[in-house]
């Protein structure tokens, strides 16, 4: 053996336990006994835009379905990132964070005090531990009533805030129960400003009070449009809901004339929203932004309730000693025609002229992503908010995204970020991955989907190959950091961005090339369908693709996800024979294992492709010889990876004669 051989992928002890208990499956789908906790929120909030002060009250019903007893519950207070003394990964505006003014558990008032003093609550950075009087047992529901207030930052870690106190994007703003899952128990971790979020799914009823003249859009469905919008606005929204073209809901003239909203009561409007089965709730408010709208058309899918046959699945699994032998049926929806999704775009004409076409980008992204994933956008609207001063790039939330103005940049830049952020509606908003521990699962999949949509909207360029270049440059320079690393633990430099976005997107394309598009697409779509509104791990992702590949792909996961090995295939020598034909030597000069595809052209006009299986390299070999028959004539050109999707760091040595690359 003359080369390193990638080790088999080992499960974490927590995942192995989940397999044994039927919470997960070797096939990659949720196990017959999969469980997750659930939370219902009822929130009342009031925003004073002039002071950027927000006060609110929330009633939380936490349904505890986990097979464990809990003496305490962990609550996220994300805005404590802006509290003096809180740990954080970078400098942040100090606002004072969250002030808890009242907290009750199951109707009993609790006070702030340390654990040794018994029931109560205490705050450590962005996490609050609540200790009820009675412990929570499986099947119990805990009611928490919390009042709080805070000052909103202008720029909350580049993910929320306000612009000139005339545009607000309110996110990570209420006390939120952390995740208790089947792999980690309490998975809630401090928010330090870099690694993102991991959330349970839940239902929300939210009441938001803002001054008259301010529009609000939020996650979920507006329950009282007639009370907050004018008749003109309601008519325009009705028109947009069935339109393929632009409908202007509000502009500078209508804002100035005060004809966008209702008058309100005592100078205030109260917007009431309801959202079901979402992992977060966010909202935006403004009294100046232009409001464009249109609608997207997607397949009207009715998905089966996969939980209804869990007893049958459990029985089948227990009858088999080999769960991998069970052929899982592919979940398919019933399609009943099409339906419309409202597309909203809020922006300022003087600051963000490129946004004049953003409504069109949002429409295309919702339609394309729905079709490519085979999972239609499930909600009634998708809202994009221009947030100059809040963010330069983009940030995603259920049914909403905030993005920079992109002033001075190209239209394609705004399209790209729109396609990316809307792509996040599938992962992690539908497929609830853990963004903190495994950022590549949502960012990589979304970067792939963004590039795929760009192929349709901006044709003529292979955006996957363009997107892979930066990753391959960093890989060649040996500056990579591994994908299987917590988002807060990357060293300064390109490591986090490459490992979270560029590399996993390129690997999706490379794996598609290995598996074949048909099998890969089945795996990709099955992963989304099977894990919709659930919380998968990397091993579920790996196992799903191996199920459809019908092969062991540990060489791929180990080489590229666990390790930062470099792949470099090269055309070594081409030795012509006196009687015709030649011996073509292909060399593997890197560490990472990958199959090779070799295209050979000869003087007799033959053009054929030779496949070098991955098992040749796994046997320890670092070279492979291809014998070209004399009847083929002289070899005139050799090209490795003619499709261009292998993650090869040096494409210059993929051609013979050297310099013959196209």
């Amino acid at each position: 053996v003359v080369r390193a051989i990638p080790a088999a992928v080992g499960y974490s002890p927590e995942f192995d336990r989940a397999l044994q208990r039927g919470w997960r499956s070797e096939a990659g789908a949720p196990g017959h006994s999969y469980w997750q906790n659930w939370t219902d929120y009822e929130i009342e909030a009031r925003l004073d835009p002039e002071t950027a002060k927000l006060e609110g009250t929330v009633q939380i019903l936490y349904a505890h379905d986990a097979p464990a007893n809990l003496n305490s519950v962990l609550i996220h207070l994300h805005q404590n990132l802006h509290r003096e003394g809180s740990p954080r990964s970078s400098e942040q505006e100090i606002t004072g964070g969250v002030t808890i003014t009242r907290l009750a558990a199951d109707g009993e008032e609790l006070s702030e005090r340390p654990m040794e003093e018994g029931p109560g609550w205490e705050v450590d950075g962005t996490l609050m531990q609540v200790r009820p009087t009675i412990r929570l047992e499986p099947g119990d529901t805990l009611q928490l009533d919390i009042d709080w207030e805070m000052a909103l930052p202008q720029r909350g870690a580049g993910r929320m805030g306000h612009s000139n106190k005339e545009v607000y994007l309110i996110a990570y703003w209420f006390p939120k129960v952390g995740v208790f899952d089947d792999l980690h128990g309490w998975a809630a971790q401090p928010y330090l400003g870099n690694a993102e979020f991991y959330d349970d799914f839940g239902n929300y009823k939210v009441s938001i009070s803002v001054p008259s003249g301010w529009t609000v859009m939020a996650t979920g469905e507006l329950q009282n449009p007639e009370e907050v919008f004018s008749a003109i606005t309601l008519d325009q929204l009705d028109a947009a809901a069935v339109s393929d073209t632009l409908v202007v809901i509000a502009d500078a003239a209508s804002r100035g004339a005060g004809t966008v909203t209702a008058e309100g009561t005592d100078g205030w409007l109260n917007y009431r929203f309801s959202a079901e089965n979402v992992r977060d709730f966010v909202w935006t408010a403004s009294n100046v932004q232009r409001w464009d709208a249109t609608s997207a058309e997607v397949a009207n899918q009715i998905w089966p309730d996969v939980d209804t046959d869990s007893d049958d699945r459990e029985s089948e699994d227990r009858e088999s000693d080999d769960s991998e032998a069970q052929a899982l049926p592919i979940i398919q929806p019933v399609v009943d025609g099409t339906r419309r999704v409202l597309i909203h775009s809020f922006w300022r004409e003087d600051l963000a002229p490129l946004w004049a076409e953003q409504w069109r980008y949002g429409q295309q992204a919702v339609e394309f992503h729905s079709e490519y994933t085979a999972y239609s956008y499930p909600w009634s609207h998708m809202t994009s908010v221009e947030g100059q001063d809040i963010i330069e790039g983009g940030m995603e939330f259920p049914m909403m995204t905030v993005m920079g103005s992109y002033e001075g940049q190209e239209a394609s830049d705004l399209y790209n970020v729109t396609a990316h952020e809307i792509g996040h509606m599938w992962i992690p908003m539908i497929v609830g991955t853990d963004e903190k521990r495994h950022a590549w699962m949502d960012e990589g999949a979304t970067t792939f989907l963004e590039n795929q949509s760009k192929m349709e909207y901006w044709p003529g360029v292979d955006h996957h190959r363009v997107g892979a270049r930066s990753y391959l440059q960093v890989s060649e320079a040996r500056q990579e950091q591994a994908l299987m690393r917590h988002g807060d633990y990357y060293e300064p430099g390109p490591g986090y961005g490459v490992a979270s976005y560029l590399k996993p997107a390129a690997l999706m394309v490379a794996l598609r090339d290995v598996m074949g598009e048909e099998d890969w697409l089945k795996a990709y779509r099955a992963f989304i369908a099977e894990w919709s509104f659930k919380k998968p791990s990397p091993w579920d992702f790996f196992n799903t693709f191996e199920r459809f590949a019908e092969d062991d792909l540990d060489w791929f996961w180990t080489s590229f996800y666990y390790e930062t090995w470099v792949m470099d295939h090269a055309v070594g020598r081409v030795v012509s024979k006196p009687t015709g034909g030649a011996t073509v030597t292909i060399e593997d000069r890197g560490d990472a294992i990958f199959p090779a595809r070799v295209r050979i052209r000869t003087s007799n006009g033959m053009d054929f492709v030779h496949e070098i299986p991955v098992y040749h390299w796994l046997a320890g070999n670092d070279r492979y010889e291809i014998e070209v028959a004399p009847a083929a004539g002289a070899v005139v050109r050799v090209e490795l990876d003619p499709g261009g999707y292998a993650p090869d760091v040096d494409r210059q040595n993929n051609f013979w004669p050297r310099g013959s690359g196209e």
Side-chain angles (χ1 to χ4, degrees), residues 34-72:
Y34 177 82
W35 56 266
Q36 57 189 21
N37 286 350
W38 188 265
T39 315
D40 287 342
Y41 296 87
E42 289 194 17
I43 305 174
E44 294 183 3
R46 183 182 179 97
L47 170 67
D48 182 350
E50 292 186 0
T51 62
K53 295 292 181 62
L54 184 146
E55 57 185 28
T57 180
V58 59
Q59 182 179 94
I60 301 172
L61 295 179
Y62 181 58
H64 178 54
D65 292 329
N69 297 324
L70 300 181
N71 293 316
S72 63

Side-chain angles (χ1 to χ4, degrees), residues 351-394:
L351 298 178
L354 279 182
W355 275 69
E357 292 293 306
Q358 198 279 331
W359 64 272
R360 195 187 306 275
Y361 304 156
Q363 179 188 59
Q364 186 269 352
V366 166
E367 292 180 346
F368 179 88
H369 297 349
S370 295
E371 182 177 359
Y372 191 80
T373 62
Y375 199 105
S376 292
Y377 185 89
W379 301 297
S380 64
H381 76 89
M382 179 66 219
T383 297
S384 300
V385 180
E386 169 263 309
Q388 179 171 298
D389 303 325
I390 299 172
I391 193 170
E392 276 88 38

Side-chain angles (χ1 to χ4, degrees), residues 557-576:
W557 314 127
T558 297
S559 296
F560 295 103
Y561 288 74
Y562 285 89
E563 304 290 349
T564 57
W565 291 354
V566 169
M567 181 209 157
D568 182 15
H569 287 169
V571 181
R573 295 191 305 164
V574 177
V575 179
S576 299

Side-chain angles (χ1 to χ4, degrees), residues 136-149:
L136 207 58
E137 297 184 353
D140 287 349
T141 297
L142 173 67
Q143 177 177 319
L144 296 175
D145 293 278
I146 305 173
D147 298 345
W148 83 100
E149 58 189 25

